[in-house]
Amino acid sequence: KVKMARLPAAKTAHSARRKLAPTRRKRNIFCSTLCLGQWMWHQLSQLRSDASDCQVEFNVKENPQNYVATQFDWKIPVNGEIVLSIGHQHIGGSNISLLVGPSKNNLTNVCTSEAKYGTSMTAGNEKGYVVGMGTCSLAKDSDHPFSVPVKVQKGDTLRVLSYYNVDPADQRSLPIPGGNHGGVMTLFYVVASQEGGTAGTNPGGFDKKWWILIGAAGFVLLCGLYMCCCRARAKKQA
């Protein structure tokens, strides 16, 4: 009798908790789907280009000019907009530039990212090391970095031009000596949006209908998993 008296109360309490759980889960599924939809329609892609024709790292040596200039031209695969860019260099780097235009002979410098060297022994400002690179928001008003993007067309040329200082007298990297430098990089990170709101790193991009289908399939999958979990829990509690 004691067991019979306690069982209904336990089931009632569990049922109350189980009735509250779907409400929270439905809210989470809705929020996840909403965020996915925002990402689909306002997607930005981070593209990486370089001045060395995809050499991960290479060496620069002393020469009479006291600098090494490296450049490489890329073809832009789609129509779109460049909204943000930042360079990446190692010790010895001076600056790296991003130039865009309809042809190799008609380019405009849209960003020059300067290497910043540390001046102390504190973390994040280590003396002699490159601790930061200049960022280009490509906008007139720095408070609204995406207000004036650079429009590009399929087939346009994107040139990355890098300068490294190989002067033995260069003191920016002290106590690391100037002159020859090994393992240098000449990367340029670009944040771009493909025309039509379907930015992607693949040249063809995705049509909106495919994003809708992918989003719908994802939503159905989430609903199916949710129902399976609920049924499994109900069987376990029965």
Side-chain angles (χ1 to χ4, degrees):
K1 291 182 180 179
V2 174
K3 292 182 179 180
M4 291 295 290
R6 290 180 180 178
L7 279 173
K11 283 188 176 181
T12 303
H14 176 72
S15 299
R17 289 194 298 271
R18 193 164 59 185
K19 286 180 180 179
L20 291 175
T23 303
R24 293 193 296 270
R25 292 184 181 181
K26 284 180 181 178
R27 188 185 306 119
N28 291 337
I29 291 175
F30 173 76
C31 291
S32 298
T33 306
L34 180 62
C35 292
L36 177 63
Q38 291 175 343
W39 176 78
M40 287 191 299
W41 296 119
H42 303 286
Q43 184 188 13
L44 295 175
S45 293
Q46 184 192 78
L47 312 174
R48 190 187 74 179
S49 55
D50 62 28
S52 61
D53 191 14
C54 292
Q55 294 185 56
V56 178
E57 293 183 343
F58 59 99
N59 303 327
V60 290
K61 297 183 178 181
E62 297 177 20
N63 59 62
Q65 290 78 29
N66 289 329
Y67 70 86
V68 173
T70 309
Q71 72 176 44
F72 192 79
D73 293 340
W74 301 84
K75 285 294 182 181
I76 296 175
V78 293
N79 298 336
E81 297 176 338
I82 298 175
V83 296
L84 191 70
S85 59
I86 181 172
H88 177 86
Q89 292 183 312
H90 289 181
I91 293 174
S94 295
N95 62 71
I96 185 168
S97 298
L98 186 71
L99 300 91
V100 177
S103 67
K104 295 182 178 181
N105 299 322
N106 187 13
L107 298 174
T108 300
N109 188 338
V110 298
C111 178
T112 295
S113 183
E114 301 279 349
K116 178 184 177 183
Y117 286 80
T119 57
S120 68
M121 297 303 293
T122 59
N125 190 33
E126 295 87 350
K127 183 175 176 59
Y129 290 88
V130 177
V131 296
M133 296 291 298
T135 303
C136 297
S137 66
L138 306 181
K140 296 179 180 178
D141 186 353
S142 59
D143 293 330
H144 302 86
F146 301 136
S147 59
V148 188
V150 175
K151 293 185 178 295
V152 293
Q153 300 294 320
K154 181 177 181 179
D156 282 357
T157 298
L158 185 150
R159 176 177 295 172
V160 181
L161 174 61
S162 169
Y163 286 96
Y164 267 84
N165 190 318
V166 291
D167 186 351
D170 183 17
Q171 299 185 2
R172 296 174 305 163
S173 60
L174 291 177
I176 301 171
N180 300 330
H181 295 290
V184 304
M185 301 183 80
T186 58
L187 304 180
F188 224 114
Y189 296 99
V190 177
V191 177
S193 172
Q194 184 177 321
E195 190 174 87
T198 55
T201 55
N202 61 312
F206 261 148
D207 292 334
K208 285 185 178 180
K209 63 180 181 181
W210 290 111
W211 287 120
I212 293 173
L213 290 174
I214 292 172
F219 178 74
V220 171
L221 179 61
L222 287 174
C223 290
L225 290 174
Y226 170 69
M227 293 176 66
C228 290
C229 290
C230 289
R231 289 179 180 178
R233 178 173 290 186
K235 290 181 178 179
K236 187 176 181 181
Q237 297 296 334

